[in-house]
């Protein structure tokens, strides 16, 4: 694990974004840990979060034309990433996001911001079973755009629809790279070294046995 990844996990734990307990996921799985990006809930957190995303994206050297943050949590993340790419990497990128409900007055439609076209960098918080990413891909395809890549904070390294990981399935089905800041393996490594949080390790490992992909 690199220093910036350790810093990111410590930041997420400090803001209670990364918590341990019992949580029901979108997939119906019961998880001993949860990443709630909604708790990066003040200006300084969002500025810092944007810097982590922008650094991972700039490092990846994956080519893209527009950032797309699917509703809801993808919206502030894409916005913060666009600001950080400009402020810290000199990259002025267009970005857009969708509404979950279509607007039928004013400008109308489902999309807000830049045009969703060309190579899209899809930005979200976590991938578990991959459902949210597939839903977002329907929007990308419906607009005639292509997927350039996917950028997330946490790869939970779980099975998708079959035996492959959700991310391996996304890479196979959409032919694009998934970039993450940290993965479950990094969280496990962090827990091993942390006296206060090491007690959560057995349950997290048990969960990985059941749903994880090595
Ligand atoms: O890989 P998956 O199994 O789909 O699970 C992960 C997704 O679930 C959550 O989104 P949710 O649909 O709860 O939307 P939100 O952003 O509105 O909270 C989370 O923000 C991820 O996008
Ligand atoms: O799978 C999910 O629903 C999920 C997992 C997680 O860690 N965080 C989140 O917001 N959703």
């Amino acid at each position: 694990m690199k220093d910036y990844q350790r810093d990111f996990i410590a930041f997420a734990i400090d803001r209670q974004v990364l918590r341990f307990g019992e949580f029901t996921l979108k997939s119906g799985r019961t998880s001993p840990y949860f990443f709630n990006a909604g708790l990066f809930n003040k200006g300084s957190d969002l500025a810092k979060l944007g810097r982590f995303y922008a650094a991972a994206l700039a490092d990846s050297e994956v080519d893209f034309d527009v950032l797309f943050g699917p509703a809801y949590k993808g919206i502030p993340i894409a916005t913060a990433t666009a600001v950080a790419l400009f402020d810290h990497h000199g990259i002025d990128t267009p970005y857009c996001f969708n509404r979950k409900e279509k607007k039928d007055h004013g400008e109308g439609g489902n999309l807000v911001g830049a045009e969703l076209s060309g190579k899209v960098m899809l930005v979200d918080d976590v991938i578990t079973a991959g459902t949210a990413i597939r839903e977002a891909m329907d929007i990308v395809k419906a607009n005639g755009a292509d997927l350039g890549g996917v950028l997330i904070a946490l790869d939970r390294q779980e099975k998708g629809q079959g035996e492959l990981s959700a991310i391996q399935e996304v890479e196979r089905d959409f032919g694009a790279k998934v970039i993450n800041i940290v993965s479950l393996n990094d969280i496990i490594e962090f827990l091993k070294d942390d006296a206060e949080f090491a007690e959560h390790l057995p349950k997290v490992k048990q969960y990985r046995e059941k749903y994880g992909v090595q």
Side-chain angles (χ1 to χ4, degrees):
M1 175 167 43
K2 298 190 176 135
D3 284 351
Y4 79 89
Q5 293 175 307
R6 190 172 291 280
D7 291 349
F8 183 73
I9 294 171
F11 174 46
I13 288 179
D14 183 66
R15 298 301 188 273
Q16 299 194 19
V17 165
L18 178 59
R19 286 176 54 211
F20 300 90
E22 194 175 294
F23 306 91
T24 303
L25 306 186
K26 182 176 171 128
S27 53
R29 298 172 189 174
T30 303
S31 169
Y33 77 101
F34 194 76
F35 186 90
N36 175 10
L39 290 175
F40 288 124
N41 56 14
K42 56 185 201 276
S44 56
D45 286 352
L46 215 49
K48 194 166 169 178
L49 183 68
R51 287 200 291 276
F52 278 110
Y53 272 83
L57 185 52
D59 268 4
S60 76
E61 295 182 350
V62 175
D63 194 27
F64 67 96
D65 299 309
V66 60
L67 294 177
F68 172 48
Y72 287 98
K73 296 208 194 80
I75 299 173
I77 297 174
T79 312
T81 303
V83 172
L85 280 172
F86 181 67
D87 278 349
H88 301 279
H89 301 270
I91 300 167
D92 194 7
T93 182
Y95 83 99
C96 65
F97 55 89
N98 66 303
R99 301 177 196 279
K100 283 200 177 179
E101 306 81 21
K102 191 169 178 180
K103 178 170 170 175
D104 57 10
H105 62 279
E107 79 275 20
N110 289 81
L111 288 174
V112 184
E115 209 177 288
L116 187 59
S117 62
K119 275 190 256 150
V120 176
M121 181 58 64
L122 221 161
V123 186
D124 207 352
D125 51 358
V126 305
I127 291 185
T128 305
T131 313
I133 292 295
R134 285 173 192 282
E135 287 165 2
M137 271 310 293
D138 290 343
I139 302 172
V140 171
K141 283 194 220 148
N143 281 274
D146 295 314
L147 188 66
V150 178
L151 173 65
I152 52 170
L154 171 62
D155 170 9
R156 294 179 53 106
Q157 297 180 301
E158 294 186 29
K159 286 179 193 145
Q161 297 168 332
E163 285 307 305
L164 289 179
S165 80
I167 285 188
Q168 287 164 337
E169 287 177 353
V170 166
E171 291 184 334
R172 177 198 63 194
D173 295 347
F174 304 120
K177 189 169 158 43
V178 179
I179 304 152
N180 63 58
I181 302 171
V182 292
S183 66
L184 176 61
N185 282 345
D186 299 317
I187 291 180
I188 288 178
E189 209 179 312
F190 184 97
L191 293 180
K192 280 183 190 156
D193 296 341
D194 190 289
E196 189 187 345
F197 287 93
E199 61 170 308
H200 302 295
L201 205 47
K203 282 197 176 153
V204 172
K205 281 184 163 171
Q206 222 174 18
Y207 180 81
R208 184 171 63 170
E209 287 298 307
K210 188 161 180 194
Y211 294 112
V213 173
Q214 283 306 303

